[in-house]
Amino acid sequence: MELWANLIVLTWAVAFMLWQGVGFAITLGTVFAIWAILAVSLNLVVGFTGLLSIGHIGFFGIGAYAMAFLTSDASYEQLRTEAIPTLGWPFFAALPVSVVLAGVTALLVGIVFNRFRDDIFVLVSFGFAIIAFSVFLNLRSVTRGAFGIHEIERPAIGGWVLDGEVEFLVFALICLALVVLVCWLIVTSSFGRVLTAIREDEEAIAVFGYQVTHYKLAVWVISAMMAGLAGGLFGSWTTFIDPNSFILLESMLLVCIVILGGLATIWGSLLGAMAFVLLDEGMRFLPFIPSEFVGQARQIVLGILLVLLMLFRPQGLVGRYRL
Amino acid sequence: MSAADARDAYAVETIDLSKHFGAVRAVDELSVSIPHEGITSIVGPNGSGKSTLVNLLSGVLPLDGGLVILDGVRLRVVKAHETPEHGVTRTFQEVRLFDQISVRDNIMVVLTSRRLLPALLERTTVAHTERTEQILREVGMWEKRDSLAQELSYGQRKLLEIGRALALDVRTYLFDEPFAGLFPEMLERVKEIVVRMRDEGRTLIFISHNMDIVRELPDHLIVLDSGRLLTEGEVHDVLSREEVIEAYLGD
């Protein structure tokens, strides 16, 4: 099954690329890289530590808005009543801020969330997603609310602006590779082994001298920082963001990807993100789905997929663990 | 004997220790002293507060009143993660392993650094794998090292949990019903381990319902009834006392 899952998804990816052409594949690749960073980082929390968070999108949004706020050249804003200051930072100055701001928020939120676990944790993380969205929508002096922020900077190295899609894809994949490397180092370290023990029985591991709350807080912050990185990339890539990219549904899709790929497996999250992107983008080329239905169709298909998965393969495509 | 030795003569003491669940006084102003030497068994009828006592001593449950003294350190609040520093670890009555990780990792996880940053940077070392192998061989679980803990039989789970406690090199071990539900062969194995631990100079405190074992193994007996100390002392002496026979053994 694991072999089959790998083969199917990868063959599908190649077939799709041949079918739709390289140009589209490059766009898909970038979307994949961003979702994959999110999925891998969320798996640290959900799969390895056993904290089912559905608020991850909030940190993604914080990263994206930090990037947007700091780099956007808001000169076009003059006619608007709620002009935001024009800072015009370069991309590489803003990206660390995206990461750190997501991390600091996670630290503050985490200190409160640390006392919760299991289903209560799901609920409070849901609360976080709602609050984050609400802030994006209503804190207009920073986010411009529903208007969104335009003209977010693309990365520039020296005088070389990564304007092209290929350059950005390469950059996004480098970021993904770094995130995967860091996650791998974490889960194969002694720290990572303690995380899995926390997932299995946090009271029992505490008796052996591990301060569980510290471990949970640390992994929560690290994971959020990675989501912040993905957010920064996303904002820069689309050059325009508004609160609709950070709704709760996106968070749920993210959890679906992690479960689809498999809990507590980094490769599974990559595979899950790949399958999701192919499914999501691929759907619009299916001739028998009416075009006005495509947007909803992906949610329906993913929903059905999740139910089927829970029925027949709760450990996901390549996973070993169950919720 | 120096002052420090005198202070540490007891592995575990409690002073007026209390814990209630609603109106039920599970542990009721209990004062006991458990010496470092030898094996101590805690006995008593169901609901007499034995497991609650162990949960209080190991920080799994918060105290409602009184004091716990672990290895000479007086504590009003026992934090679970600090108990190893006080030289104490335990097993659970309803075996609590890390089910979805391997037998090997169940041991190795308690050998690694307790501090965050060093733990993040620490990889599995030769010392870790060697100690893990040693422990697993000691409890006879080496053959099962790659299985998930949840795939083990009940007896094997008990052994692995004892192994996990042994992996922590502390002085005092609290075993909550280590002999319950074991087939004779497994029971002998656990008994061997317990005796070996005593011979190594470790302090063993276990709860048991098995009277054959209580007559045979421990040097010291503590009898609880309704959360209070009924009596304590040398095993055969205690077992012949009338109040013990009445409250616990008599029918």
Side-chain angles (χ1 to χ4, degrees):
Chain A
M1 173 70 195
E2 290 191 24
L3 179 68
W4 281 110
N6 280 302
L7 276 178
I8 290 169
V9 175
L10 295 178
T11 315
W12 184 9
V14 172
F16 200 82
M17 195 168 83
L18 293 175
W19 177 33
Q20 290 299 328
V22 176
F24 193 66
I26 289 166
T27 307
L28 276 198
T30 313
V31 178
F32 159 74
I34 291 169
W35 278 103
I37 293 174
L38 285 173
V40 171
S41 62
L42 183 60
N43 209 340
L44 278 183
V45 170
V46 177
F48 288 94
T49 320
L51 295 166
L52 184 51
S53 166
I54 51 176
H56 208 52
I57 206 76
F59 300 116
F60 179 62
I62 288 168
Y65 269 105
M67 175 60 68
F69 182 76
L70 293 173
T71 70
S72 170
D73 173 11
S75 51
Y76 67 95
E77 296 293 326
Q78 301 307 332
L79 299 174
R80 303 283 186 208
T81 47
E82 286 136 6
I84 60 173
T86 306
L87 296 172
W89 286 26
F91 173 88
F92 284 104
L95 195 62
V97 178
S98 290
V99 173
V100 171
L101 193 64
V104 170
T105 313
L107 184 67
L108 298 177
V109 170
I111 287 169
V112 180
F113 281 17
N114 233 327
R115 70 188 70 220
F116 306 113
R117 59 188 193 202
D118 303 330
D119 31 11
I120 307 292
F121 186 86
V122 179
L123 281 179
V124 294
S125 71
F126 171 84
F128 172 69
I130 301 284
I131 292 169
F133 174 76
S134 170
V135 169
F136 299 149
L137 190 61
N138 295 309
L139 191 64
R140 287 193 295 247
S141 56
V142 175
T143 68
R144 295 208 59 249
F147 291 120
I149 301 178
H150 295 262
E151 294 182 34
I152 303 167
E153 281 287 314
R154 277 298 180 95
I157 303 166
W160 179 37
V161 181
L162 304 186
D163 259 343
E165 291 304 315
V166 181
E167 288 99 321
F168 198 92
L169 171 64
V170 171
F171 178 67
L173 287 177
I174 291 171
C175 290
L176 172 61
L178 281 175
V179 166
V180 167
L181 177 69
V182 171
C183 285
W184 181 80
L185 285 172
I186 289 173
V187 301
T188 54
S189 69
S190 298
F191 177 88
R193 198 183 288 112
V194 175
L195 292 184
T196 57
I198 289 173
R199 176 190 69 203
E200 297 301 319
D201 190 335
E202 63 174 80
E203 254 173 35
I205 190 66
V207 169
F208 291 91
Y210 296 92
Q211 205 160 1
V212 172
T213 48
H214 290 186
Y215 279 78
K216 289 202 290 192
L217 193 57
V219 76
W220 173 253
V221 170
I222 292 170
S223 167
M225 288 169 82
M226 290 169 177
L229 173 75
L233 282 178
F234 174 76
S236 172
W237 181 58
T238 57
T239 71
F240 164 74
I241 56 166
D242 70 3
N244 281 327
S245 302
F246 313 108
I247 55 176
L248 185 69
L249 180 69
E250 302 290 319
S251 222
M252 301 299 288
L253 292 177
L254 197 52
V255 173
C256 291
I257 292 174
V258 171
I259 295 173
L260 172 74
L263 292 170
T265 144
I266 294 174
W267 176 247
S269 285
L270 295 177
L271 209 62
M274 179 71 85
F276 167 74
V277 170
L278 289 170
L279 208 65
D280 192 22
E281 299 296 327
M283 209 102 66
R284 69 178 66 161
F285 296 103
L286 292 178
F288 51 84
I289 299 182
S291 57
E292 69 271 18
F293 198 57
V294 167
Q296 275 71 42
R298 71 168 205 187
Q299 292 155 24
I300 293 171
V301 169
L302 263 160
I304 292 172
L305 214 60
L306 196 64
V307 173
L308 288 178
L309 220 55
M310 287 298 111
L311 280 175
F312 299 111
R313 199 170 165 81
Q315 66 271 53
L317 292 178
V318 299
R320 200 175 165 190
Y321 306 107
R322 293 153 190 254
L323 269 182
Chain B
M1 208 185 217
S2 72
D5 289 335
R7 193 194 63 194
D8 294 343
Y10 293 109
V12 171
E13 287 176 86
T14 68
I15 299 173
D16 293 338
L17 184 66
S18 293
K19 179 73 194 176
H20 28 84
F21 301 107
V24 181
R25 292 167 182 273
V27 171
D28 192 8
E29 299 189 346
L30 178 70
S31 301
V32 290
S33 301
I34 300 173
H36 260 307
E37 298 80 36
I39 302 174
T40 301
S41 181
I42 304 173
V43 298
N46 283 327
S48 59
K50 306 183 295 293
S51 278
T52 306
L53 175 61
V54 169
N55 284 336
L56 292 172
L57 294 177
S58 59
V60 169
L61 286 176
L63 321 183
D64 284 342
L67 271 185
V68 166
I69 306 172
L70 298 178
D71 215 16
V73 182
R74 300 163 73 90
L75 301 163
R76 288 204 175 275
V77 177
V78 184
K79 291 180 180 158
H81 69 269
E82 286 172 358
T83 52
E85 289 168 32
H86 300 305
V88 175
T89 193
R90 65 167 296 177
T91 67
F92 293 87
Q93 185 177 5
E94 69 307 352
V95 184
R96 289 171 78 167
L97 293 168
F98 308 122
D99 280 336
Q100 298 195 69
I101 64 179
S102 70
V103 165
R104 196 202 306 253
D105 278 347
N106 262 274
I107 300 295
M108 213 182 287
V109 70
V110 303
L111 298 176
T112 56
S113 174
R114 264 74 182 163
R115 286 180 307 156
L116 276 188
L117 209 56
L120 258 171
L121 303 174
E122 185 181 66
R123 322 293 295 171
T124 303
T125 64
V126 177
H128 292 154
T129 50
E130 280 177 353
R131 177 92 174 116
T132 304
E133 178 173 351
Q134 185 199 343
I135 298 273
L136 285 177
R137 287 192 187 283
E138 218 173 306
V139 296
M141 296 292 296
W142 178 243
E143 313 304 320
K144 290 279 179 185
R145 60 192 176 274
D146 291 321
S147 308
L148 294 183
Q150 66 185 6
E151 294 161 1
L152 302 178
S153 72
Y154 181 75
Q156 290 170 332
R157 287 170 64 80
K158 282 252 170 198
L159 283 173
L160 181 58
E161 203 192 19
I162 290 170
R164 186 178 64 182
L166 283 180
L168 220 58
D169 195 15
V170 293
R171 196 162 169 198
T172 306
Y173 295 83
L174 304 165
F175 287 172
D176 196 348
E177 302 261 16
F179 304 103
L182 293 181
F183 290 116
E185 186 201 339
M186 284 285 185
L187 201 126
E188 285 307 314
R189 225 143 113 187
V190 176
K191 253 159 64 177
E192 272 170 37
I193 293 169
V194 167
V195 169
R196 198 188 316 145
M197 287 171 74
R198 176 187 52 194
D199 295 345
E200 287 169 359
R202 300 174 197 265
T203 306
L204 253 113
I205 301 164
F206 71 82
I207 294 175
S208 186
H209 274 119
N210 184 328
M211 288 319 289
D212 290 337
I213 286 174
V214 170
R215 281 194 191 90
E216 181 188 342
L217 273 185
D219 309 293
H220 192 81
L221 206 56
I222 287 176
V223 187
L224 298 184
D225 189 23
S226 311
R228 288 169 171 276
L229 180 67
L230 190 65
T231 180
E232 66 173 319
E234 191 273 327
V235 177
H236 297 284
D237 178 33
V238 168
L239 287 180
S240 59
R241 284 179 203 165
E242 219 158 272
E243 68 265 36
V244 176
I245 296 168
E246 245 171 57
Y248 184 43
L249 305 168
D251 38 28

